[in-house]
């Protein structure tokens, strides 16, 4: 990355117990690696979560798209490269490239992160932190050739296909349900038989609200009609004493 | 590890998205690291799962104990050291030491693995593989000062405390429910409020039978009466068209 010093590069191995029954890395574990790489990249440049927490700010993942030609196989060594290619008010756009140590490109990701005030939970301006330090590390020339996240539309009558309770192991360092857990729960709507014949080509998720341990999550699914491909939208809601409200929307292309 | 060449040493970081709300590594992720370290250690020495599968053999985890003084904090760098300290017929005894790169000892683990024939699913003699290669790497002098796993007893009337369905993301490379998922599900019996005040000092699990995606898991819990400590036993059963049968037993000391 000498030519692109604003791109961070973090090494991983597709560890056998992070792989599914086809001996390929679980998308959930890949997503976790991406989130960790994002944290390292921002921490290395002075605007990581750890520093932000000290000034009552934090990063909240707002959207994530993962588009893979293939997933790393068991024991494959690969890098997650990540860089920020834009900032608008309280949002940064962060890209990912997943590439084998032999140079083979597995796929890409795109994400949107909001900077929020940890007390008010309201968005705050990215450029007001440390004299706009984030702007010093923008990289717009390194390619990320996938479509950015779209606005996911799902009908009000999409049928309920799963309900799950949330527990201690679902909760992340911020005290909320871990972003990656939603991805895993969405993928779990389909069973092992399905995954024998299909693989995920593109996975998109938009985070709308936070859920907490004890909330029940409900999953509503709709197949896109005007598509000759196998493409689905999923709405996730949380149910608690305040009633039912939307927390995420996801779109999956097999 | 120059003095102990039979001990493998594998480096990890307590990645932020592998940590719980107290910003300490999840025991489930630590367990996954241990299983991966075991696979690297055995593969590096010519008796790993990948080789064994080529001769219709595999390793199956039979028992695991994890005993921690403390868990690594977010961003801590640590090593998982692992070595085999004994072989009896179809079983090997494998130890773990979790140690910070600064030398601080976080805790230890002990495990028992069975070598089985992948077709008959029956135990086979470890010493018959590659002229007893496993015996060439036994290490008995490196200390692992925790009690080995005990026989876990749990009454027939222990009450049902949780039921969960199993899905695609629960299934490992061997097509069975991942050993670590049981650990997470057991820990999930207690809620975030409990973990604000308690931490796991010792976690023991014995694997009795394999479960498959689609099986429903049921969790029965009993508090040990003759103990002034907070110690619990948990029985896990699977329910499918063949009825209900035991798959694991676990013991947790807080």
């Amino acid at each position: 990355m000498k030519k692109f010093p604003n791109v961070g590069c973090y090494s991983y191995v597709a560890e056998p117990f992070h792989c599914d029954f086809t001996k390929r890395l679980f998308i959930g574990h890949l997503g976790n690696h991406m989130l960790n790489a994002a944290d390292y990249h921002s921490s290395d440049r002075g605007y990581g979560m750890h520093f932000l927490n000290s000034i009552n700010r934090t990063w909240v993942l707002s959207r994530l798209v993962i588009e893979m030609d293939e997933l790393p196989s068991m024991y494959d060594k690969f890098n997650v490269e990540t860089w920020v290619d834009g900032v608008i008010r309280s949002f940064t756009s962060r890209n990912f490239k997943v590439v084998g140590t032999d140079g083979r490109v597995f796929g890409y990701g795109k994400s949107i992160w909001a900077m929020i005030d940890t007390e008010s939970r309201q968005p705050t301006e990215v450029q007001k932190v440390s004299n706009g330090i984030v702007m010093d590390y923008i990289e717009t020339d390194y390619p990320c050739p996938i479509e950015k996240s779209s606005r996911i539309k799902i009908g009000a009558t999409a049928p309920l296909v799963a309900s799950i309770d949330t527990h201690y192991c679902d909760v992340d360092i911020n005290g909320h349900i871990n972003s990656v857990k939603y991805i895993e729960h969405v993928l779990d709507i389909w069973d092992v038989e399905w995954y024998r014949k299909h693989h995920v080509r593109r996975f998109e998720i938009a985070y709308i609200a936070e859920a907490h341990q004890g909330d029940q999550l409900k999953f509503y699914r709709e197949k896109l009609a005007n598509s000759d491909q196998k493409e689905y939208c999923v709405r996730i809601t949380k149910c608690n004493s305040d009633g039912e409200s939307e927390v995420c929307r996801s779109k999956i292309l097999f």
Side-chain angles (χ1 to χ4, degrees), chain A:
Chain A
M1 290 298 116
K2 266 188 194 157
K3 207 179 149 194
F4 296 101
N6 295 343
V7 178
C9 181
Y10 304 92
S11 300
Y12 296 94
V13 179
E15 307 219 15
F17 289 93
H18 288 168
C19 291
D20 76 359
F21 73 95
T22 69
K23 302 191 179 176
R24 299 268 180 175
L25 186 65
F26 272 116
I27 288 181
H29 283 292
L30 177 63
N32 241 327
H33 293 332
M34 286 176 167
L35 300 194
N36 285 319
D39 182 63
Y40 292 139
H41 175 268
S42 54
S43 294
D44 289 348
R45 286 160 182 78
Y47 56 91
M49 206 163 38
H50 195 63
F51 163 69
L52 288 184
N53 289 350
S54 73
I55 56 165
N56 294 328
R57 298 281 184 277
T58 199
W59 291 115
V60 173
L61 181 61
S62 171
R63 286 164 180 268
L64 177 66
V65 189
I66 299 176
E67 195 170 314
M68 302 300 286
D69 286 331
E70 62 177 327
L71 282 154
S73 292
M74 183 162 92
Y75 299 123
D76 276 349
K77 290 180 179 168
F78 62 95
N79 295 324
V80 174
E81 298 174 356
T82 182
W83 66 101
V84 171
D85 72 342
V87 173
I88 299 178
R89 292 187 303 277
S90 52
F91 294 97
T92 60
S93 160
R94 173 181 286 284
N95 295 335
F96 299 95
K97 180 177 179 181
V98 183
V99 55
T101 46
D102 59 358
R104 180 172 38 148
V105 177
F106 290 109
Y108 293 91
K110 277 185 180 286
S111 62
I112 304 286
W113 298 74
M115 188 184 282
I116 67 163
D117 183 300
T118 49
E119 287 181 7
S120 70
R121 308 302 294 175
Q122 293 300 308
T124 60
E125 284 216 24
V126 173
Q127 297 203 38
K128 287 198 176 150
V129 166
S130 301
N131 296 313
I133 192 171
V134 181
M135 306 304 294
D136 295 346
Y137 299 104
I138 303 273
E139 171 56 62
T140 54
D141 289 335
Y142 199 65
C144 186
I146 63 169
E147 294 239 345
K148 62 181 186 179
S149 53
S150 57
R151 196 172 146 73
I152 302 169
K153 287 179 195 156
I154 178 166
T157 58
L160 178 70
V161 291
S163 301
I164 65 135
D165 294 317
T166 56
H167 303 284
Y168 159 68
C169 288
D170 296 314
V171 176
D172 70 10
I173 45 173
N174 297 312
H176 308 128
I177 302 302
N178 174 351
S179 309
V180 164
K181 289 283 176 176
Y182 296 106
I183 300 177
E184 293 178 349
H185 293 318
V186 169
L187 295 176
D188 276 344
I189 292 175
W190 291 269
D191 66 7
V192 162
E193 280 311 308
W194 175 270
Y195 289 102
R196 278 192 217 286
K197 295 179 205 131
H198 303 85
H199 67 274
V200 176
R201 289 163 55 196
R202 183 176 160 96
F203 187 97
E204 239 178 283
I205 188 161
Y207 299 95
I208 297 159
E210 286 153 354
H212 297 87
Q213 187 240 281
D215 291 349
Q216 188 188 42
L217 301 179
K218 292 192 172 187
F219 298 79
Y220 300 86
R221 178 180 60 180
E222 187 172 73
K223 187 170 190 297
L224 289 197
N226 56 353
S227 161
D228 51 356
Q229 295 175 309
K230 284 175 177 156
E231 197 166 19
Y232 297 85
C233 288
V234 175
R235 173 189 290 118
I236 310 176
T237 64
K238 64 176 173 185
C239 299
N240 54 33
S241 55
D242 295 333
E244 181 172 3
S245 60
E246 192 167 12
V247 289
C248 298
R249 279 184 201 189
S250 174
K251 189 153 89 172
I252 308 99
L253 175 67
F254 290 101

mmCIF file of all heavy atoms in Angstrom, chain A residues 75-96:
data_model
loop_
_atom_site.group_PDB
_atom_site.id
_atom_site.type_symbol
_atom_site.label_atom_id
_atom_site.label_comp_id
_atom_site.label_asym_id
_atom_site.label_seq_id
_atom_site.Cartn_x
_atom_site.Cartn_y
_atom_site.Cartn_z
ATOM 1 N N TYR A 75 -8.111 -22.170 5.587
ATOM 2 C CA TYR A 75 -6.655 -21.975 5.614
ATOM 3 C C TYR A 75 -6.145 -20.889 4.656
ATOM 4 O O TYR A 75 -4.954 -20.569 4.684
ATOM 5 C CB TYR A 75 -5.856 -23.266 5.328
ATOM 6 C CG TYR A 75 -6.092 -24.377 6.310
ATOM 7 C CD1 TYR A 75 -6.548 -25.621 5.871
ATOM 8 C CD2 TYR A 75 -5.868 -24.202 7.669
ATOM 9 C CE1 TYR A 75 -6.772 -26.651 6.762
ATOM 10 C CE2 TYR A 75 -6.087 -25.237 8.561
ATOM 11 C CZ TYR A 75 -6.537 -26.461 8.106
ATOM 12 O OH TYR A 75 -6.757 -27.483 8.990
ATOM 13 N N ASP A 76 -6.991 -20.340 3.783
ATOM 14 C CA ASP A 76 -6.537 -19.261 2.902
ATOM 15 C C ASP A 76 -6.090 -18.065 3.739
ATOM 16 O O ASP A 76 -6.771 -17.679 4.697
ATOM 17 C CB ASP A 76 -7.680 -18.768 1.983
ATOM 18 C CG ASP A 76 -7.838 -19.627 0.737
ATOM 19 O OD1 ASP A 76 -6.952 -20.467 0.462
ATOM 20 O OD2 ASP A 76 -8.865 -19.462 0.047
ATOM 21 N N LYS A 77 -4.965 -17.484 3.339
ATOM 22 C CA LYS A 77 -4.523 -16.231 3.965
ATOM 23 C C LYS A 77 -5.014 -15.085 3.107
ATOM 24 O O LYS A 77 -4.884 -15.143 1.871
ATOM 25 C CB LYS A 77 -3.003 -16.202 4.050
ATOM 26 C CG LYS A 77 -2.496 -17.206 5.060
ATOM 27 C CD LYS A 77 -0.995 -17.210 5.174
ATOM 28 C CE LYS A 77 -0.626 -18.237 6.246
ATOM 29 N NZ LYS A 77 0.785 -18.529 6.266
ATOM 30 N N PHE A 78 -5.573 -14.086 3.728
ATOM 31 C CA PHE A 78 -6.096 -12.966 2.934
ATOM 32 C C PHE A 78 -5.960 -11.673 3.728
ATOM 33 O O PHE A 78 -5.764 -11.680 4.944
ATOM 34 C CB PHE A 78 -7.561 -13.211 2.533
ATOM 35 C CG PHE A 78 -8.502 -13.326 3.692
ATOM 36 C CD1 PHE A 78 -9.214 -12.225 4.143
ATOM 37 C CD2 PHE A 78 -8.673 -14.533 4.350
ATOM 38 C CE1 PHE A 78 -10.086 -12.321 5.227
ATOM 39 C CE2 PHE A 78 -9.541 -14.646 5.435
ATOM 40 C CZ PHE A 78 -10.243 -13.542 5.867
ATOM 41 N N ASN A 79 -6.059 -10.570 3.001
ATOM 42 C CA ASN A 79 -6.017 -9.250 3.628
ATOM 43 C C ASN A 79 -7.367 -8.573 3.473
ATOM 44 O O ASN A 79 -8.026 -8.729 2.435
ATOM 45 C CB ASN A 79 -4.955 -8.379 2.962
ATOM 46 C CG ASN A 79 -3.552 -8.932 3.196
ATOM 47 O OD1 ASN A 79 -3.259 -9.463 4.265
ATOM 48 N ND2 ASN A 79 -2.700 -8.821 2.188
ATOM 49 N N VAL A 80 -7.747 -7.859 4.487
ATOM 50 C CA VAL A 80 -8.874 -6.935 4.354
ATOM 51 C C VAL A 80 -8.273 -5.542 4.259
ATOM 52 O O VAL A 80 -7.630 -5.072 5.199
ATOM 53 C CB VAL A 80 -9.849 -7.028 5.548
ATOM 54 C CG1 VAL A 80 -10.925 -5.958 5.450
ATOM 55 C CG2 VAL A 80 -10.496 -8.408 5.608
ATOM 56 N N GLU A 81 -8.430 -4.925 3.095
ATOM 57 C CA GLU A 81 -7.964 -3.550 2.903
ATOM 58 C C GLU A 81 -9.154 -2.624 3.144
ATOM 59 O O GLU A 81 -10.288 -2.948 2.768
ATOM 60 C CB GLU A 81 -7.454 -3.362 1.480
ATOM 61 C CG GLU A 81 -6.249 -4.254 1.169
ATOM 62 C CD GLU A 81 -5.829 -4.190 -0.298
ATOM 63 O OE1 GLU A 81 -6.515 -3.522 -1.099
ATOM 64 O OE2 GLU A 81 -4.827 -4.826 -0.630
ATOM 65 N N THR A 82 -8.907 -1.513 3.762
ATOM 66 C CA THR A 82 -10.024 -0.590 4.012
ATOM 67 C C THR A 82 -9.549 0.857 3.951
ATOM 68 O O THR A 82 -8.405 1.160 4.301
ATOM 69 C CB THR A 82 -10.738 -0.911 5.350
ATOM 70 O OG1 THR A 82 -11.840 -0.002 5.511
ATOM 71 C CG2 THR A 82 -9.809 -0.770 6.555
ATOM 72 N N TRP A 83 -10.414 1.696 3.468
ATOM 73 C CA TRP A 83 -10.103 3.122 3.338
ATOM 74 C C TRP A 83 -11.399 3.922 3.297
ATOM 75 O O TRP A 83 -12.471 3.386 2.968
ATOM 76 C CB TRP A 83 -9.281 3.373 2.076
ATOM 77 C CG TRP A 83 -9.980 3.107 0.779
ATOM 78 C CD1 TRP A 83 -10.542 4.029 -0.060
ATOM 79 C CD2 TRP A 83 -10.198 1.829 0.141
ATOM 80 N NE1 TRP A 83 -11.086 3.414 -1.166
ATOM 81 C CE2 TRP A 83 -10.884 2.065 -1.065
ATOM 82 C CE3 TRP A 83 -9.891 0.504 0.484
ATOM 83 C CZ2 TRP A 83 -11.271 1.038 -1.944
ATOM 84 C CZ3 TRP A 83 -10.270 -0.524 -0.375
ATOM 85 C CH2 TRP A 83 -10.942 -0.244 -1.576
ATOM 86 N N VAL A 84 -11.287 5.214 3.651
ATOM 87 C CA VAL A 84 -12.436 6.119 3.629
ATOM 88 C C VAL A 84 -12.359 6.926 2.337
ATOM 89 O O VAL A 84 -11.316 7.500 2.032
ATOM 90 C CB VAL A 84 -12.421 7.045 4.862
ATOM 91 C CG1 VAL A 84 -13.483 8.137 4.744
ATOM 92 C CG2 VAL A 84 -12.627 6.232 6.133
ATOM 93 N N ASP A 85 -13.455 6.922 1.571
ATOM 94 C CA ASP A 85 -13.399 7.660 0.297
ATOM 95 C C ASP A 85 -14.290 8.902 0.292
ATOM 96 O O ASP A 85 -14.382 9.586 -0.724
ATOM 97 C CB ASP A 85 -13.704 6.750 -0.902
ATOM 98 C CG ASP A 85 -15.158 6.351 -0.977
ATOM 99 O OD1 ASP A 85 -15.866 6.485 0.049
ATOM 100 O OD2 ASP A 85 -15.596 5.894 -2.043
ATOM 101 N N GLY A 86 -14.901 9.203 1.437
ATOM 102 C CA GLY A 86 -15.694 10.424 1.461
ATOM 103 C C GLY A 86 -16.306 10.698 2.824
ATOM 104 O O GLY A 86 -16.518 9.781 3.626
ATOM 105 N N VAL A 87 -16.557 11.977 3.069
ATOM 106 C CA VAL A 87 -17.206 12.405 4.319
ATOM 107 C C VAL A 87 -18.291 13.397 3.943
ATOM 108 O O VAL A 87 -18.049 14.326 3.161
ATOM 109 C CB VAL A 87 -16.195 13.103 5.268
ATOM 110 C CG1 VAL A 87 -16.903 13.694 6.473
ATOM 111 C CG2 VAL A 87 -15.106 12.132 5.712
ATOM 112 N N ILE A 88 -19.503 13.168 4.451
ATOM 113 C CA ILE A 88 -20.560 14.168 4.284
ATOM 114 C C ILE A 88 -21.206 14.391 5.644
ATOM 115 O O ILE A 88 -21.791 13.450 6.209
ATOM 116 C CB ILE A 88 -21.636 13.714 3.274
ATOM 117 C CG1 ILE A 88 -21.016 13.498 1.887
ATOM 118 C CG2 ILE A 88 -22.756 14.766 3.175
ATOM 119 C CD1 ILE A 88 -22.006 12.992 0.848
ATOM 120 N N ARG A 89 -21.068 15.574 6.179
ATOM 121 C CA ARG A 89 -21.612 15.937 7.497
ATOM 122 C C ARG A 89 -21.245 14.907 8.585
ATOM 123 O O ARG A 89 -20.078 14.846 8.961
ATOM 124 C CB ARG A 89 -23.118 16.147 7.398
ATOM 125 C CG ARG A 89 -23.477 17.394 6.560
ATOM 126 C CD ARG A 89 -24.975 17.684 6.628
ATOM 127 N NE ARG A 89 -25.800 16.576 6.187
ATOM 128 C CZ ARG A 89 -26.083 16.317 4.910
ATOM 129 N NH1 ARG A 89 -25.619 17.088 3.949
ATOM 130 N NH2 ARG A 89 -26.837 15.287 4.588
ATOM 131 N N SER A 90 -22.219 14.093 9.022
ATOM 132 C CA SER A 90 -21.915 13.151 10.101
ATOM 133 C C SER A 90 -21.609 11.745 9.574
ATOM 134 O O SER A 90 -21.466 10.819 10.370
ATOM 135 C CB SER A 90 -23.082 13.102 11.083
ATOM 136 O OG SER A 90 -24.273 12.862 10.397
ATOM 137 N N PHE A 91 -21.515 11.607 8.265
ATOM 138 C CA PHE A 91 -21.312 10.267 7.689
ATOM 139 C C PHE A 91 -19.972 10.125 6.972
ATOM 140 O O PHE A 91 -19.523 11.053 6.294
ATOM 141 C CB PHE A 91 -22.418 9.953 6.677
ATOM 142 C CG PHE A 91 -23.772 9.837 7.313
ATOM 143 C CD1 PHE A 91 -24.651 10.922 7.323
ATOM 144 C CD2 PHE A 91 -24.156 8.657 7.926
ATOM 145 C CE1 PHE A 91 -25.890 10.823 7.924
ATOM 146 C CE2 PHE A 91 -25.406 8.548 8.533
ATOM 147 C CZ PHE A 91 -26.275 9.642 8.533
ATOM 148 N N THR A 92 -19.349 8.956 7.124
ATOM 149 C CA THR A 92 -18.196 8.632 6.286
ATOM 150 C C THR A 92 -18.553 7.417 5.449
ATOM 151 O O THR A 92 -19.312 6.548 5.871
ATOM 152 C CB THR A 92 -16.927 8.275 7.093
ATOM 153 O OG1 THR A 92 -17.221 7.148 7.903
ATOM 154 C CG2 THR A 92 -16.463 9.417 7.944
ATOM 155 N N SER A 93 -17.970 7.393 4.254
ATOM 156 C CA SER A 93 -18.124 6.238 3.377
ATOM 157 C C SER A 93 -16.804 5.475 3.413
ATOM 158 O O SER A 93 -15.738 6.047 3.158
ATOM 159 C CB SER A 93 -18.433 6.755 1.971
ATOM 160 O OG SER A 93 -18.155 5.769 1.024
ATOM 161 N N ARG A 94 -16.869 4.200 3.781
ATOM 162 C CA ARG A 94 -15.664 3.377 3.958
ATOM 163 C C ARG A 94 -15.752 2.149 3.061
ATOM 164 O O ARG A 94 -16.758 1.442 3.082
ATOM 165 C CB ARG A 94 -15.544 2.947 5.425
ATOM 166 C CG ARG A 94 -14.427 1.949 5.694
ATOM 167 C CD ARG A 94 -14.377 1.533 7.165
ATOM 168 N NE ARG A 94 -13.835 2.577 8.016
ATOM 169 C CZ ARG A 94 -12.540 2.886 8.092
ATOM 170 N NH1 ARG A 94 -11.661 2.227 7.351
ATOM 171 N NH2 ARG A 94 -12.142 3.847 8.894
ATOM 172 N N ASN A 95 -14.699 1.898 2.307
ATOM 173 C CA ASN A 95 -14.663 0.752 1.396
ATOM 174 C C ASN A 95 -13.786 -0.372 1.936
ATOM 175 O O ASN A 95 -12.924 -0.142 2.793
ATOM 176 C CB ASN A 95 -14.106 1.181 0.033
ATOM 177 C CG ASN A 95 -15.031 2.169 -0.657
ATOM 178 O OD1 ASN A 95 -16.225 2.187 -0.401
ATOM 179 N ND2 ASN A 95 -14.474 2.991 -1.533
ATOM 180 N N PHE A 96 -14.026 -1.555 1.380
ATOM 181 C CA PHE A 96 -13.228 -2.735 1.740
ATOM 182 C C PHE A 96 -12.884 -3.519 0.474
ATOM 183 O O PHE A 96 -13.709 -3.599 -0.447
ATOM 184 C CB PHE A 96 -14.035 -3.677 2.650
ATOM 185 C CG PHE A 96 -14.465 -3.074 3.950
ATOM 186 C CD1 PHE A 96 -15.731 -2.505 4.080
ATOM 187 C CD2 PHE A 96 -13.617 -3.073 5.047
ATOM 188 C CE1 PHE A 96 -16.148 -1.945 5.279
ATOM 189 C CE2 PHE A 96 -14.031 -2.517 6.255
ATOM 190 C CZ PHE A 96 -15.300 -1.949 6.373
#
